[in-house]
Amino acid sequence: SGMEPGEVMTTHVEGPPPGSIFPIGTTKVKYEAVDECGNTAYATQTINVSDTAPPTITTVIPGTLDLNCEDDLSTITISATDLCSAVTDITYDVIDSRTDGSCPHTYTLTRTYSATDECGNSATCTSKVTIIDNVQPIAICRDELHIALTNDGLAEIDAAVFDGGSRDNCGI
């Protein structure tokens, strides 16, 4: 047989071959051993692979992000990767931390982003999103205004009468 005394020839018989990447779960691999006299024995190896590592959030989210009030918050997206499986669920939640600012339409949100892989492992990161109003309003006054005076030469005029379409980017 060309084998030395005491030598045993081992051969892979069943299951993924040596060097394979094993899937998550239990995999059985069967081997055959033959000695120089032709005696054969079989052994089965059980390989258990589990994924306990969370995914990695790959988007760099600044700790604090300033946006203007008309900016769209939904444009902030994240991506994630996982070593063992696909990332199946990426979500964000506005955590119960909305702090109103000193002006209308300005506030800070604490946002938590979460990524979950196929095995249920999760990773999170948190960011503060500050909504600001740093754009001056546009004041437009009516060009011409005719006002009738009372007999004593006075007039009572509401400021809205002078408004010719003034506006603000935050809708104020």
Side-chain angles (χ1 to χ4, degrees):
S1 71
M3 294 176 63
E4 298 290 323
E7 185 178 352
V8 176
M9 175 77 69
T10 305
T11 308
H12 170 261
V13 177
E14 193 176 291
S20 294
I21 296 175
F22 290 87
I24 294 173
T26 301
T27 303
K28 294 191 182 275
V29 180
K30 187 174 182 180
Y31 299 93
E32 174 186 64
V34 180
D35 67 13
E36 77 271 8
C37 296
N39 298 311
T40 303
Y42 293 93
T44 301
Q45 179 182 30
T46 301
I47 299 170
N48 292 309
V49 176
S50 60
D51 177 6
T52 58
T56 300
I57 295 176
T58 55
T59 304
V60 177
I61 299 171
T64 301
L65 180 64
D66 291 340
L67 296 176
N68 214 311
C69 58
E70 75 269 10
D71 292 335
D72 184 5
L73 285 174
S74 66
T75 61
I76 302 169
T77 58
I78 66 166
S79 59
T81 59
D82 190 63
L83 294 175
C84 295
S85 63
V87 175
T88 58
D89 189 29
I90 297 177
T91 61
Y92 72 88
D93 297 310
V94 177
I95 302 303
D96 55 302
S97 177
R98 176 182 164 140
T99 306
D100 289 331
S102 58
C103 295
H105 301 288
T106 62
Y107 55 92
T108 299
L109 294 177
T110 299
R111 227 173 222 193
T112 299
Y113 298 85
S114 175
T116 305
D117 67 18
E118 290 177 339
C119 296
N121 302 307
S122 294
T124 60
C125 68
T126 301
S127 178
K128 287 191 183 286
V129 179
T130 302
I131 307 303
I132 58 176
D133 179 5
N134 62 2
V135 176
Q136 298 293 327
I138 298 171
I140 301 173
C141 296
R142 295 176 112 170
D143 289 336
E144 192 174 314
L145 189 63
H146 298 281
I147 300 171
L149 301 175
T150 62
N151 288 339
D152 53 3
L154 301 174
E156 195 171 305
I157 305 168
D158 186 73
V161 172
F162 295 100
D163 184 17
S166 300
R167 61 187 175 276
D168 185 69
N169 65 316
C170 292
I172 300 172

